[in-house]
Amino acid sequence: MRRHLPFLLLPTVLADTFDPLPLIDPLIGSTNGGNVFAGATRPYGLAKPVADVDGQNTGGFATDGSNVVGFSSIHDSGTGGNPSLGNFPLFPQVCANDEVNGCNFRIGDRATAYVADSVIAHPGYFAVDLVSGIHADMVASERAALFRFVFPEGENQHPLVLLDLTDLWQSRQNASINVDSESGRLKGNGTFLPSFGAGSYMMHFCVDFFGGAVYDSGVWVNNRGGTEPKDLYVTRGFNLFYLEAGGWVRFEGLANNTVTARVGISFISADQACHSAETEIPGPLDGDFDRLATEAEDAWREKLDPVSINPGGASKDLQSSFWSGLYRTMISPQNYTGENPKWDSGIPYFDSFYCIWDSFRVQHPILTIVDPKAQVQMVNSLLDMYQNEGWLPDCHMSFCNGWTQGGSNADVVLVDAYVKNLTGIDWELALKAIIQDAEVEPLEWAYHGRGGLQSWKDLLYIPYLDFDPVGFGTNSRSISRTLEYAYNDYCLSTLARGLGYEDLYDKYVTRSANWQNLWSDEQNSTIKGNDTGFTGFFQPKYQNGTWGFQDPIACSALADFCSLTTNPSETFEASIWQYQFLVPQSMSALIGLMGAEKRFVERLDFFHTSGLADISNEPVFSTVYLYHYAGRPGLSTKRLHTYIPSSFNTSNGGLPGNDDSGSMGGFVVFGMLGLFPIAGQDVYLISAPFFEEVNITSPLTGQTARIKAVGFDAAYENIYIQNVTVNGQPWTKSWIGHALFTEGWTLEVVLGNQESDWGTKVEDRPPSWGEAIVKL
Ligand SMILES: *[C@@H]1O[C@H](CO)[C@@H](O)[C@H](O)[C@H]1NC(C)=O
Ligand SMILES: *[C@@H]1O[C@H](CO)[C@@H](O)[C@H](O)[C@H]1NC(C)=O
Ligand SMILES: *[C@@H]1O[C@H](CO)[C@@H](O)[C@H](O)[C@H]1NC(C)=O
Ligand SMILES: *[C@@H]1O[C@H](CO)[C@@H](O)[C@H](O)[C@H]1NC(C)=O
Ligand SMILES: *[C@@H]1O[C@H](CO)[C@@H](O)[C@H](O)[C@H]1NC(C)=O
Ligand SMILES: *[C@@H]1O[C@H](CO)[C@@H](O)[C@H](O)[C@H]1NC(C)=O
Ligand SMILES: *[C@@H]1O[C@H](CO)[C@@H](O)[C@H](O)[C@H]1NC(C)=O
Ligand SMILES: *[C@@H]1O[C@H](CO)[C@@H](O)[C@H](O)[C@H]1NC(C)=O
Ligand SMILES: *[C@@H]1O[C@H](CO)[C@@H](O)[C@H](O)[C@H]1NC(C)=O
Ligand SMILES: *[C@@H]1O[C@H](CO)[C@@H](O)[C@H](O)[C@H]1NC(C)=O
Ligand SMILES: *[C@@H]1O[C@H](CO)[C@@H](O)[C@H](O)[C@H]1NC(C)=O
């Protein structure tokens, strides 16, 4: 742990300070659907330069052996579906016969393979060689990117760099560019569509080139370029045809055959993009490249500084998974302060909450521990959206509303911050925002709020094929929405009670039991004709109270994928088998419905071993740990080891699914810490850590939490907790609260190779509301 020490002490302290950066591999998750952003960025930085490929390009680059089609300066990380951002890519090349039209302008024509083993990715730095012989590397400031394109030696060549008025998804509606013939400066803007949301956004750019003189310049359209005119405006024409177009500059007298390109990005204006670039990168050839690389590294070290580990013999790979996962939790959301074209509340503004359905579970909880100041700013950004857009978002990117996947899960993010005592948040405002989610149905509940609220209040469940003329969304997911709305209401009740509104607490805690109304005691489940042996599953229910039917294995890895648009079903992106475990407020009631502890554990085991569990998607995370609620905490650690490292490892394809703004990373980090958060509650489930010791210093209080494993063995035979002490006193509960971090407690777990009776007693299990509740 580095601290601000008197100057004279610094050199000695630095000398033996552990540096996690060499263990961070941004390429983890760069193929096999991880969709991570592998390029250069500062923590939460707006500028995110990387090479964009034509293969798995959701996050820009992928190690999938596809072709590079450009180098753009802004991205999201780990998202699924449509590729995100990647606006205004540059592309360097040498034109055949030294003719402008000897160059390739269109994406399909210019696509060039990269040299596989040339890729270098470090926090704050990315480099790649193209088979055309061009070497590219890049760094980032907050709002600007700096690229170096080194061209191969050659006679009579005037290397060209083009800018394409596109984004990765080719969602551009219209765009403009102006080319300055003297300086080669490119300025302009475009209107694009958010990759998973409604509406459109405008982005502006300002590009300057350094290292040589401008030879000639102009614009290009389709596969032809010319030196006149110097301005271009493109729109969508015949049948919304996508016209490929942009600007270009050719150079002469290049020092070292290198063009250095500085790209400023702004959501406000091109002038602001120029201003950011000029102030953040004033000396592109005077050491700024190295300075930016160093500053980014320092910024990352500072973010990771609260955490230190003693691996106790745990492999480099596991350490790399840990630090890389932690790194990826701080790439998104992005800090767009000063760049909001819609309003300015004078407070920090974050965007790319992409999406909260993914990130509420572990990503925001990890930030609450390691970077609580950022988490407070993010929570306040959500409340800022509520005040200026009228609603909390469930997903939000590029100043647009994103589509809602399940419940109103910003509620959980807010309440998680509340139960962990984050300060500087207006909790009465938060209560108002969450009550609105719970009470008022918006016309468009596809991108904020909840649908079917009339039924929710009258029938106490979301009906199958609901009749809902009040508002509109994709009218599916009746089971998963019922479960999520119930938990959202539970979180609301927690905040209400905390603020002293007992009447509201009573109302919403009662509603949080609504999940029970979709429990069908009779339902069984078969896989290809074989009975799974379990009876009692959630089922869809019509408004008239009659059961509908959805096969409990539908939407699982054994059946078809279900999303909002593909095969929409009564559960979202996962099966009834998956959702049956998602009642975090009342696990003991759920266990009762499933036939008590033994049958519950059998059901969980079956889920995890039958192919029904989909480790690639976030709803599965908590199910790895639910053994705790049945008094078998040892089985949670055992289950975790079946997924790490087999499904989460350091290979380029080492994430099982979309990282979703660091959600997969957060799962690995918590798993290795030996703590799993139940977001929305002041509860971390205790499991056996993957390292001998971890210290985490709270950036708020300066207190250091210590997690120590006695009897640790790096072969992971001793993965069963025998006993726990906290600050030297026996700790019988299988869970602990956030004060561990803020008050800097020492949590010591004694490990052995057999399950013990630690954490097995009913009173030692994690909290569960409504034990006494009988079925409605
Ligand atoms: C660009 O397209 C957007 C979205 O269709 C539209 O609102 C805007 O007016 C257009 N801008 C120009 C300059 O045509
Ligand atoms: C968009 O860019 C063009 C070309 O630079 C410029 O003329 C126009 O004013 C810009 N529009 C906005 C809204 O910034
Ligand atoms: C060219 O290379 C030399 C030696 O590596 C370096 O000192 C100089 O800064 C480079 N110049 C430019 C314009 O990149
Ligand atoms: C954790 O902190 C304690 C007390 O300062 C120290 O003795 C120990 O070495 C630290 N462990 C790690 C992994 O940093
Ligand atoms: C976001 O940027 C603003 C403006 O630079 C700054 O005040 C704020 O502290 C930043 N937030 C974080 C978490 O770095
Ligand atoms: C499963 O349910 C179906 C329909 O109710 C029934 O026909 C079947 O016998 C049940 N199977 C078992 C093993 O209970
Ligand atoms: C059904 O279960 C039997 C006995 O466990 C097994 O042999 C058979 O392969 C299973 N059939 C299918 C389709 O999974
Ligand atoms: C309830 O509604 C469903 C769907 O319309 C219908 O199939 C079923 O017969 C109804 N049940 C009763 C008891 O009316
Ligand atoms: C690493 O993780 C990926 C993604 O889950 C998985 O496909 C692969 O088999 C794992 N590799 C190893 C060596 O476990
Ligand atoms: C666990 O701790 C309890 C209370 O401190 C003690 O009585 C017991 O012997 C310990 N058991 C083991 C296995 O260490
Ligand atoms: C939050 O503050 C309350 C009241 O001071 C206290 O009872 C509780 O333990 C604190 N929780 C945490 C996680 O620090």
Side-chain angles (χ1 to χ4, degrees):
M1 164 68 204
R2 277 187 294 134
R3 302 256 191 177
H4 299 287
L5 292 164
F7 176 72
L8 282 177
L9 282 176
L10 212 53
T12 17
V13 172
L14 284 178
D16 54 299
T17 293
F18 167 74
D19 183 6
L21 261 58
L23 289 165
I24 294 173
D25 181 0
L27 295 176
I28 294 173
S30 62
T31 187
N32 190 29
N35 296 348
V36 301
F37 172 71
T41 183
R42 296 186 175 198
Y44 321 114
L46 181 156
K48 292 195 183 328
V50 80
D52 295 323
V53 295
D54 58 4
Q56 297 170 38
N57 63 353
T58 310
F61 184 72
T63 47
D64 60 356
S66 54
N67 301 301
V68 172
V69 295
F71 294 87
S72 65
S73 302
I74 183 164
H75 294 89
D76 283 312
S77 188
T79 62
N82 304 318
S84 209
L85 301 170
N87 315 64
F88 309 123
L90 302 177
F91 192 78
Q93 55 190 310
V94 175
C95 309
N97 306 318
D98 199 29
E99 302 247 3
V100 165
N101 284 307
C103 266
N104 295 311
F105 292 99
R106 293 196 300 199
I107 292 170
D109 297 338
R110 68 183 192 241
T112 305
Y114 60 89
V115 179
D117 60 7
S118 71
V119 179
I120 301 174
H122 293 315
Y125 178 82
F126 184 87
V128 65
D129 293 347
L130 305 185
V131 295
S132 58
I134 293 171
H135 169 75
D137 65 358
M138 59 216 69
V139 291
S141 63
E142 286 295 336
R143 294 172 185 78
L146 193 61
F147 297 89
R148 293 191 299 208
F149 301 119
V150 184
F151 293 86
E153 297 283 344
E155 299 284 301
N156 281 338
Q157 65 178 22
H158 298 95
L160 175 144
V161 176
L162 66 77
L163 180 146
D164 192 341
L165 293 169
T166 190
D167 60 340
L168 284 165
W169 189 26
Q170 303 196 345
S171 78
R172 185 204 68 226
Q173 302 300 292
N174 49 53
S176 299
I177 189 168
N178 167 265
V179 183
D180 186 298
S181 55
E182 295 290 309
S183 65
R185 171 174 273 193
L186 307 175
K187 269 176 85 170
N189 50 66
T191 299
F192 301 89
L193 308 183
S195 48
F196 186 69
S200 65
Y201 66 94
M202 194 174 193
M203 192 188 290
H204 310 259
F205 62 89
C206 175
V207 184
D208 291 301
F209 298 102
F210 306 88
V214 172
Y215 177 67
D216 59 359
S217 64
V219 300
W220 60 275
V221 178
N222 289 319
N223 51 5
R224 283 287 175 267
T227 54
E228 290 298 336
K230 302 291 190 200
D231 290 287
L232 182 71
Y233 172 66
V234 286
T235 177
R236 299 297 281 261
F238 176 68
N239 277 349
L240 297 180
F241 181 75
Y242 198 73
L243 197 65
E244 296 189 52
W248 59 269
V249 182
R250 289 200 298 168
F251 302 92
E252 62 184 356
L254 288 175
N256 304 344
N257 289 312
T258 303
V259 171
T260 297
R262 183 182 68 190
V263 183
I265 294 287
S266 174
F267 290 93
I268 301 282
S269 68
D271 286 342
Q272 181 152 320
C274 295
H275 180 76
S276 296
E278 286 162 355
T279 51
E280 295 178 2
I281 312 181
L285 296 183
D286 300 327
D288 272 358
F289 195 96
D290 292 344
R291 175 179 63 81
L292 292 171
T294 306
E295 282 179 10
E297 289 190 350
D298 288 346
W300 281 110
R301 281 193 192 96
E302 193 183 320
K303 286 297 177 200
L304 302 171
D305 190 53
V307 183
S308 66
I309 65 176
N310 167 7
S315 70
K316 269 248 149 56
D317 274 349
L318 289 174
Q319 295 176 53
S320 176
S321 280
F322 177 84
W323 290 109
S324 304
L326 188 55
Y327 162 82
R328 293 198 314 275
T329 63
M330 294 186 257
I331 294 179
S332 281
Q334 281 101 252
N335 191 343
Y336 287 178
T337 304
E339 292 294 340
N340 184 346
K342 296 186 168 167
W343 70 83
D344 179 7
S345 311
I347 60 169
Y349 178 84
F350 280 78
D351 211 320
S352 281
F353 292 88
Y354 200 168
C355 290
I356 292 175
W357 184 81
D358 303 295
S359 62
F360 85 83
R361 303 167 204 266
V362 291
Q363 189 221 0
H364 286 290
I366 209 73
L367 298 184
T368 300
I369 296 168
V370 176
D371 197 0
K373 290 171 189 163
Q375 177 64 11
V376 168
Q377 292 182 8
M378 289 174 195
V379 166
N380 281 329
S381 294
L382 296 174
L383 290 172
D384 207 16
M385 289 171 190
Y386 163 68
Q387 287 189 292
N388 288 280
E389 296 180 334
W391 295 88
L392 292 169
D394 194 56
C395 192
H396 207 275
M397 74 288 295
S398 319
F399 303 97
C400 297
N401 276 303
W403 306 121
T404 297
Q405 293 167 275
S408 47
N409 288 319
D411 305 352
V412 186
V413 176
L414 265 46
V415 174
D416 195 54
Y418 178 75
V419 296
K420 292 168 183 171
N421 282 356
L422 293 187
T423 56
I425 295 163
D426 181 345
W427 293 117
E428 292 288 341
L429 180 65
L431 182 71
K432 213 172 124 203
I434 301 175
I435 288 179
Q436 176 172 287
D437 283 342
E439 293 298 327
V440 184
E441 180 167 329
L443 180 66
E444 296 280 2
W445 53 266
Y447 55 65
H448 50 215
R450 307 187 199 167
L453 276 181
Q454 202 171 310
S455 296
W456 185 244
K457 294 177 205 172
D458 294 347
L459 300 175
L460 311 182
Y461 60 93
I462 297 297
Y464 185 30
L465 303 177
D466 193 18
F467 174 61
D468 178 13
V470 177
F472 303 96
T474 41
N475 198 10
S476 57
R477 302 162 288 144
S478 61
I479 296 173
S480 52
R481 282 165 53 217
T482 292
L483 290 166
E484 294 193 20
Y485 293 176
Y487 191 54
N488 299 151
D489 279 341
Y490 180 78
C491 290
L492 170 50
S493 78
T494 302
L495 179 60
R497 169 167 269 186
L499 297 178
Y501 302 106
E502 279 298 315
D503 50 336
L504 293 178
Y505 167 78
D506 289 341
K507 171 174 179 180
Y508 292 110
V509 85
T510 305
R511 264 171 52 169
S512 83
N514 284 2
W515 60 273
Q516 299 190 25
N517 297 324
L518 293 190
W519 181 262
S520 167
D521 248 341
E522 312 298 315
Q523 185 61 47
N524 54 32
S525 169
T526 57
I527 300 175
K528 290 185 183 147
N530 270 0
D531 187 10
T532 60
F534 299 97
T535 305
F537 287 91
F538 291 116
Q539 280 295 295
K541 191 188 269 183
Y542 291 106
Q543 262 173 311
N544 62 11
T546 301
W547 290 112
F549 175 71
Q550 178 172 311
D551 185 337
I553 74 164
C555 307
S556 75
L558 299 181
D560 294 331
F561 186 68
C562 308
S563 70
L564 290 176
T565 48
T566 306
N567 193 22
S569 300
E570 298 318 298
T571 48
F572 175 75
E573 281 195 2
S575 60
I576 287 172
W577 261 96
Q578 165 67 79
Y579 278 101
Q580 70 180 330
F581 296 115
L582 300 188
V583 186
Q585 68 275 35
S586 295
M587 284 305 298
S588 59
L590 181 74
I591 290 169
L593 286 180
M594 289 184 180
E597 286 87 344
K598 185 167 172 291
R599 287 300 281 159
F600 176 79
V601 166
E602 285 166 3
R603 209 183 261 235
L604 259 186
D605 282 342
F606 187 85
F607 172 64
H608 283 290
T609 54
S610 57
L612 286 165
D614 175 9
I615 195 63
S616 76
N617 212 349
E618 283 73 7
V620 81
F621 287 174
S622 63
T623 66
V624 173
Y625 293 89
L626 293 180
Y627 299 98
H628 274 69
Y629 289 90
R632 300 287 299 277
L635 297 181
S636 298
T637 310
K638 187 181 173 200
R639 182 62 60 207
L640 184 60
H641 279 272
T642 68
Y643 290 120
I644 301 176
S646 66
S647 295
F648 299 84
N649 53 61
T650 52
S651 64
N652 289 344
L655 297 181
N658 303 157
D659 193 33
D660 291 314
S661 303
S663 294
M664 295 283 152
F667 178 75
V668 171
V669 169
F670 276 119
M672 293 190 175
L673 283 179
L675 294 167
F676 185 81
I678 303 297
Q681 302 174 35
D682 187 17
V683 171
Y684 297 91
L685 309 181
I686 301 171
S687 58
F690 281 54
F691 303 123
E692 188 168 359
E693 185 173 51
V694 184
N695 286 4
I696 303 183
T697 301
S698 166
L700 293 179
T701 64
Q703 302 293 320
T704 298
R706 269 178 97 173
I707 302 160
K708 269 181 88 168
V710 176
F712 178 80
D713 89 290
Y716 302 113
E717 268 158 32
N718 295 342
I719 56 163
Y720 298 103
I721 295 180
Q722 307 296 304
N723 246 344
V724 174
T725 59
V726 170
N727 296 336
Q729 299 302 309
W731 186 270
T732 56
K733 293 196 297 250
S734 66
W735 60 282
I736 195 165
H738 189 66
L740 166 67
F741 297 104
T742 50
E743 293 178 17
W745 293 346
T746 296
L747 173 72
E748 195 169 289
V749 303
V750 180
L751 300 178
N753 62 8
Q754 300 290 324
E755 272 189 274
S756 73
D757 60 5
W758 171 81
T760 57
K761 292 202 191 81
V762 171
E763 63 269 27
D764 291 333
R765 296 177 196 169
S768 185
W769 176 78
E771 262 116 318
I773 278 218
V774 286
K775 263 189 308 147
L776 297 174

